[in-house]
Amino acid sequence: APSIGIGMLDSTICDIYLVNAAGNLVGRPILTACVDAYSGLCCGYSLSWEGGVYSLRNLMANVIADKVEWCRKFGIHLQQKDWNCSQIPAILVTDMGTEYKSENFEQISELGVKLINLPPYRPELKGAVEKFFDLIQTSFKAHLKGKGVIEPDYQERGAHDYRKDACLTMRDFEKIIIHCIIYYISRRIIANFPHTGQMIAEKVQPCASEIWNYGLRQAGANLISCSYDNLMLTLMP
């Protein structure tokens, strides 16, 4: 197997309006993520203006990226143990979106990855990634009120036009998203996590990064990385 874990893939439109470098309104970005079903670790993400195959390709590139190096591009210092994922999960679970059914994406199975397409209208079957989106959105919205964040009343008649508040660029927002992800995976305590006896003996804390790192230790020598070149050739249009 190329790695450990079951990666659940999905996308959501973020509840915020962003501007370009000139300060002109662009729109709402799309967050695409791969979240491990067991630990809750975000294996990778993509923030983009368009979804489909484009965001999926960026997502898979981020999944196998060195997260310490990636965060450094945004001026964020990260310890390896806090986001120690640079491999494709052994199994990828997706919905029936056209990008996931594309021949380009399905070729990823040639790398030893098992693909599972869930039936439509069953979001509860991808609970880990849905939970991730909810908590990430809740996290950034609490800090960005009045900066283009959309409130629950935005579709009501006479509601405030939140587009007028937009002031962050995509890069500004991506830096905030990274901070939210790091907090989500390395600081957030998972309530009622079913620890095994061995996990208790090793004092594994109930947060996503520690549970994931425990899984990596168990996988040991069976863990192999997928090269960036091989993955990108597979996903080329």
Side-chain angles (χ1 to χ4, degrees):
S3 185
I4 66 166
I6 300 174
M8 297 191 160
L9 279 60
D10 208 350
S11 297
T12 192
I13 300 174
C14 295
D15 290 339
I16 189 170
Y17 287 105
L18 302 179
V19 298
N20 59 21
N24 299 317
L25 181 72
V26 180
R28 294 167 61 184
I30 297 169
L31 177 62
T32 307
C34 173
V35 176
D36 178 57
Y38 180 62
S39 66
L41 186 97
C42 174
C43 302
Y45 79 95
S46 167
L47 200 61
S48 57
W49 292 118
E50 55 181 300
V53 174
Y54 175 80
S55 63
L56 182 58
R57 190 165 182 268
N58 286 347
L59 168 66
M60 299 314 296
N62 187 256
V63 166
I64 62 172
D66 181 314
K67 302 304 190 293
V68 173
E69 290 295 320
W70 178 258
C71 290
R72 189 174 291 141
K73 295 177 183 177
F74 292 85
I76 298 171
H77 174 71
L78 177 74
Q79 294 187 57
Q80 187 77 43
K81 66 181 179 65
D82 288 336
W83 199 355
N84 190 24
C85 179
S86 56
Q87 303 88 15
I88 308 174
I91 299 170
L92 294 178
V93 180
T94 71
D95 57 25
M96 300 296 279
T98 53
E99 67 269 32
Y100 302 123
K101 299 292 288 179
S102 69
E103 185 178 337
N104 290 336
F105 183 65
E106 290 183 343
Q107 285 176 359
I108 204 170
S109 62
E110 295 173 11
L111 302 174
V113 178
K114 182 177 180 180
L115 299 179
I116 297 176
N117 296 115
L118 296 175
Y121 310 113
R122 296 294 302 277
E124 75 279 4
L125 297 179
K126 296 198 303 291
V129 69
E130 298 291 340
K131 174 91 168 173
F132 171 78
F133 287 145
D134 285 346
L135 291 175
I136 292 296
Q137 295 242 57
T138 299
S139 182
F140 77 70
K141 288 173 75 171
H143 296 286
L144 299 178
K145 288 186 182 295
K147 297 183 183 297
V149 159
I150 295 170
E151 301 293 350
D153 69 348
Y154 82 103
Q155 288 183 316
E156 295 177 11
R157 187 174 180 179
H160 178 71
D161 186 351
Y162 296 105
R163 293 173 297 182
K164 294 178 179 178
D165 301 334
C167 60
L168 299 174
T169 65
M170 178 71 97
R171 183 174 174 83
D172 295 334
F173 183 59
E174 185 158 4
K175 188 172 181 178
I176 292 165
I177 285 290
I178 293 171
H179 278 296
C180 290
I181 292 173
I182 293 170
Y183 180 85
Y184 175 88
I185 63 178
S186 65
R187 302 287 180 268
R188 185 183 70 94
I189 298 298
I190 302 171
N192 304 315
F193 184 82
H195 276 77
T196 64
Q198 187 173 350
M199 293 173 89
I200 293 170
E202 294 190 25
K203 298 181 179 178
V204 176
Q205 295 297 310
C207 63
S209 58
E210 287 222 16
I211 297 164
W212 173 264
N213 290 339
Y214 170 81
L216 289 181
R217 292 196 297 274
Q218 299 307 302
N222 294 326
L223 188 65
I224 63 170
S225 296
C226 168
S227 78
Y228 182 88
D229 291 339
N230 283 351
L231 180 63
M232 288 300 102
L233 283 172
T234 300
L235 295 176
M236 284 291 276

